[in-house]
Amino acid sequence: MAAHAVDPTLETFENDVWWITLIKLLGVFVLLLLMTLFTINYERKVVARMAVRPGPNQVGPKGWLQSLTDGLKLPFKEEIIPKTADKVVYFIAPVISATTAFTAFSVIPFGGVVNMFGQQTALQLTDVPVSVLVLLACSSMSVYGVVLAGWASGSTYPLLGGLRSSAQMISYEVAMGLSIVAVFMTAGTMSTSQIVAAQADGSPVTIGGVELTAPGWYAVQLLPSFIIYMIAAVGETNRAPFDLPEAESELVGGFHTEYSSFKFALFFLAEYINMITVSAFCTTLFLGGWRAPWPITAVWEGANAGYFGLIWFFLKVFALLFGFIWLRATLPRMRYDQFMRFGWKVLIPVNLVWILFLAYFKVARGFTTEARLISAVAIAVVVLAVAWGWPAKKKPRQLSLEEQIHQRPPGSFPVPPMDLQVPPSPRARRAVAERTPATVGGESESQSESRSERGMEV
């Protein structure tokens, strides 16, 4: 008889003995380090394949130990600290970034309840009724590490990079938080383990009197939220094409320009752990977590039992990481004003409208048919009235070139002529006027000799 998956509850974590918790804590720490080393090499190899070049292929089997040697090399490099740096804050900033990155992974479920050294425990470090808020709090705290690193360096470019990065992370964190609201409303809980359990089975939906079973994954049920979350996750992690805080052509290296050696390694580690964290968070919220996808569960009943959940979980995470790498190798960097306008004027309004629509859909389930029809008509009328009365953006009148020239303030740089014909230089005309005119027919030898004799007499 095939084994079945056992979903953990909040009481499951209360019954863990201390040494099981310690084992899981060390396991998460080591797993994140190994995942970071793998992701760095994974990114290099995928980008190299897309760029039709070899990539790392010298250190270790097929170059897979390259990131390990880089990680061992960085702490032993020379550390250069600017004289104007605030030493205490300069040291604390990378620690904050790395600590928050590790802490965020503590509430991510890797699997169901398993037997670990004779103890029944869940493949998750801990869980609380508001685990999703813990993740959002950790991502919010990581902003402090970035902005403090830029300020404590005592240099202009890191300060500009820190301010730009903090504005970007805060802006897209709002869009990310709103995209998760739809998951709360659908699952009815903020516990990560319970959100995964809520996606185990599909939701019954009645359309035209026919009852259908919707897919269990929230990526399908809540597709707009899934798309907005993925866009906001790329902006939150400062990855291309949203890597504006580290725009080398503008800000050298961004907020960590003045960091080197082990402190730079901490920032490097935090960036990749954040990328892994948002991928794991997306897997938990939208892709069914550690549960196998539908075709596998249909033919294999024990696909989710025991430690098999780790396989499905990390396959989904690696697929999302591949998406991050694909974006970096494909899209150019956006302009900063376009990027911020997209976050505040597109993602957030669309998110709010989607949440209102979802809330109406859930409330309307209890309405009668007449009430649903009346409410739908009322909403349509309101939407049309707002769209009709929305002020249109007036385009300014296109000024002619002459009008633009007259509006220029005094002392401006000269404007090239409108006919694109450059007038001759007055200095050139004066030089031509002072020059002795040449005879057309030339002069004879006697005339040239007499002129030379007069010159000698003088």
Side-chain angles (χ1 to χ4, degrees):
M1 185 176 179
H4 295 279
V6 179
D7 290 305
T9 61
L10 295 178
E11 289 76 15
T12 305
F13 303 94
E14 298 176 358
N15 299 327
D16 283 346
V17 294
W18 66 271
W19 53 272
I20 287 290
T21 304
L22 182 60
I23 290 175
K24 292 195 291 185
L25 177 62
L26 293 176
V28 170
F29 180 76
V30 174
L31 179 65
L32 283 178
L33 291 179
L34 295 178
M35 282 283 293
T36 302
L37 296 177
F38 171 81
T39 305
I40 295 172
N41 233 34
Y42 180 45
E43 179 175 14
R44 291 177 177 177
K45 285 185 172 293
V46 171
V47 173
R49 183 65 180 268
M50 292 181 175
V52 195
R53 54 185 176 83
N57 58 2
Q58 298 297 319
V59 183
K62 297 184 179 181
W64 279 104
L65 296 181
Q66 180 66 55
S67 56
L68 177 61
T69 56
D70 292 341
L72 295 176
K73 175 186 65 176
L74 274 175
F76 297 100
K77 280 183 169 291
E78 180 184 3
E79 184 174 10
I80 302 173
I81 302 178
K83 290 183 178 180
T84 56
D86 189 319
K87 302 298 189 299
V88 177
V89 182
Y90 183 85
F91 172 78
I92 292 177
V95 176
I96 293 176
S97 296
T99 303
T100 54
F102 277 104
T103 306
F105 232 82
S106 61
V107 292
I108 297 293
F110 299 97
V113 177
V114 298
N115 188 348
M116 184 181 296
F117 302 107
Q119 299 285 333
Q120 294 294 318
T121 184
L123 288 177
Q124 182 178 351
L125 182 57
T126 187
D127 194 13
V128 292
V130 289
S131 293
V132 178
L133 297 184
V134 174
L135 278 165
L136 293 178
C138 291
S139 63
S140 302
M141 289 295 296
S142 63
V143 179
Y144 285 93
V146 171
V147 72
L148 289 177
W151 177 81
S153 298
S155 181
T156 303
Y157 284 118
L159 179 60
L160 294 175
L163 294 176
R164 177 182 284 192
S165 179
S166 59
Q168 171 178 330
M169 295 172 72
I170 292 172
S171 302
Y172 276 76
E173 190 176 349
V174 175
M176 179 185 290
L178 290 176
S179 66
I180 301 172
V181 172
V183 177
F184 301 161
M185 297 169 59
T186 307
T189 179
M190 292 187 182
S191 168
T192 51
S193 61
Q194 302 308 308
I195 290 175
V196 173
Q199 300 177 71
D201 301 317
S203 303
V205 178
T206 302
I207 301 177
V210 180
E211 186 172 345
L212 303 174
T213 302
W217 285 10
Y218 291 152
V220 180
Q221 295 186 29
L222 309 173
L223 182 61
S225 295
F226 175 67
I227 296 175
I228 292 173
Y229 176 89
M230 291 302 300
I231 297 174
V234 178
E236 176 77 10
T237 53
N238 299 334
R239 294 281 302 181
F242 302 153
D243 55 340
L244 299 169
E246 301 171 12
E248 293 86 358
S249 59
E250 306 168 17
L251 302 173
V252 188
F255 60 91
H256 54 65
T257 299
E258 302 293 350
Y259 280 86
S260 57
S261 187
F262 185 69
K263 295 181 179 63
F264 173 77
L266 288 178
F267 278 121
F268 199 65
L269 180 69
E271 177 182 345
Y272 277 89
I273 292 179
N274 285 332
M275 190 168 64
I276 298 169
T277 301
V278 296
S279 300
F281 197 28
C282 181
T283 300
T284 302
L285 295 180
F286 296 101
L287 301 181
W290 47 268
R291 293 183 175 274
W294 168 73
I296 298 176
T297 54
V299 298
W300 182 15
E301 294 183 0
N304 298 321
Y307 290 90
F308 286 116
L310 291 172
I311 300 175
W312 318 124
F313 179 81
F314 284 110
L315 284 178
K316 297 173 186 178
V317 171
F318 291 152
L320 293 174
L321 291 175
F322 178 80
F324 277 97
I325 299 169
W326 195 354
L327 289 176
R328 176 182 177 181
T330 306
L331 299 179
R333 181 182 292 128
M334 289 185 65
R335 210 172 66 199
Y336 189 72
D337 60 328
Q338 295 174 341
F339 175 59
M340 297 298 289
R341 187 184 305 114
F342 179 70
W344 286 102
K345 294 187 176 181
V346 177
L347 291 185
I348 294 178
V350 170
N351 222 330
L352 293 174
V353 172
W354 164 245
I355 292 172
L356 291 175
F357 171 78
L358 186 64
Y360 166 76
F361 179 77
K362 290 189 171 298
V363 173
R365 286 182 177 180
F367 292 173
T368 61
T369 305
E370 294 180 357
R372 292 179 185 176
L373 181 60
I374 294 174
S375 60
V377 171
I379 293 175
V381 170
V382 172
V383 170
L384 291 176
V386 171
W388 180 266
W390 194 267
K393 185 178 180 181
K394 297 182 179 179
K395 296 183 178 180
R397 185 176 66 87
Q398 188 78 21
L399 300 178
S400 63
L401 293 176
E402 290 77 8
E403 292 175 336
Q404 295 180 21
I405 294 174
H406 288 307
Q407 289 184 357
R408 290 167 57 86
S412 302
F413 286 99
V415 179
M418 297 296 103
D419 55 0
L420 299 181
Q421 294 181 3
V422 181
S425 173
R427 183 176 302 172
R429 287 201 303 270
R430 185 165 56 252
V432 171
E434 294 174 356
R435 190 180 306 141
T436 304
T439 56
V440 177
E443 58 183 2
S444 61
E445 294 181 1
S446 59
Q447 291 175 342
S448 60
E449 289 176 359
S450 61
R451 195 192 325 169
S452 61
E453 290 176 357
R454 288 197 302 270
M456 291 178 63
E457 291 176 358
V458 173

